[in-house]
Amino acid sequence: MRRPFKTDAPVKEGPRSNKEIRVPRVQLIDAEGQNIGAIPIDQALRMAEEAGLDLVEIAPNSEPPVCKILDLGKLKYANQKKAAEARKKQKIVEIKEIKMRPNIDTHDYEVKMRAMNRFFEEGDKVKVTLKFRGREMAHQELGMKLLLQVKDDTQTIAKVEAEPKLEGRQMMMVLAPR
């Protein structure tokens, strides 16, 4: 016989509030921010109810736990806004790829270097890939020489994160902005 899949009870996020606080005495801070002192929990709940607000546990690990009379909805909203602002400010580092051939012309090389410099200014990493075709595999030293030239040209604005290495018919190197 197949048993139904049993899920765990939902986990409550955020601080404990009102009837969820199960300690005999709490250190109370009122709605204006004044410290009332250590009082019984039922008296603190009554004061919060009279003010039309919630009793929220601020510091649960202290002895006795510190509780404050405030609007729980406003607290949750402010925390949500703060988290959204933090997410907005963070920068995700992308890895951009520049593809070259071992016998690249000077102008083409300069165009690729300008693009690479732009990527570094934006704070992204760059993966330089060198593709060998046919008989070019016999002259891997040309590819290595080209990647070392890229390394020298970007020395002031970037550091090498992965040294040039050959994988099959491709030679690659990863650079990160300084």
Side-chain angles (χ1 to χ4, degrees), residues 15-59:
R16 289 187 294 195
S17 62
N18 300 331
K19 300 279 185 203
E20 296 169 354
I21 303 169
R22 300 200 183 281
V23 290
R25 295 180 70 75
V26 292
Q27 180 76 26
L28 184 68
I29 298 169
D30 69 358
E32 285 79 45
Q34 271 133 26
N35 191 348
I36 305 290
I39 62 168
I41 186 72
D42 53 341
Q43 187 183 345
L45 283 168
R46 207 173 319 110
M47 288 174 72
E49 198 173 306
E50 286 169 8
L53 298 170
D54 301 298
L55 183 68
V56 181
E57 198 172 40
I58 302 297

Side-chain angles (χ1 to χ4, degrees), residues 81-97:
K81 283 291 180 191
K82 202 184 296 179
E85 192 66 32
R87 277 195 306 274
K88 195 192 306 182
K89 285 183 182 171
Q90 74 183 26
K91 165 95 173 83
I92 292 112
V93 177
E94 292 181 37
I95 297 183
K96 304 283 189 172
E97 187 172 15

Side-chain angles (χ1 to χ4, degrees), residues 46-81:
R46 207 173 319 110
M47 288 174 72
E49 198 173 306
E50 286 169 8
L53 298 170
D54 301 298
L55 183 68
V56 181
E57 198 172 40
I58 302 297
N61 298 331
S62 63
E63 193 54 49
V66 179
C67 294
K68 188 172 183 181
I69 296 175
L70 50 81
D71 188 352
L72 186 60
K74 282 185 181 176
L75 178 72
K76 284 184 176 178
Y77 179 75
N79 289 345
Q80 219 174 17
K81 283 291 180 191

Side-chain angles (χ1 to χ4, degrees), residues 129-164:
T129 307
L130 210 64
K131 212 170 211 163
F132 293 99
R133 283 199 203 140
R135 293 183 191 160
E136 292 173 349
M137 282 299 287
H139 299 287
Q140 292 173 13
E141 71 279 354
L142 293 175
M144 187 58 84
K145 187 174 155 189
L146 181 66
L147 287 180
L148 291 175
Q149 183 181 349
V150 168
K151 183 177 168 182
D152 289 342
D153 291 347
T154 60
Q155 195 170 14
T156 57
I157 57 171
K159 60 182 181 281
V160 177
E161 201 167 83
E163 289 293 331

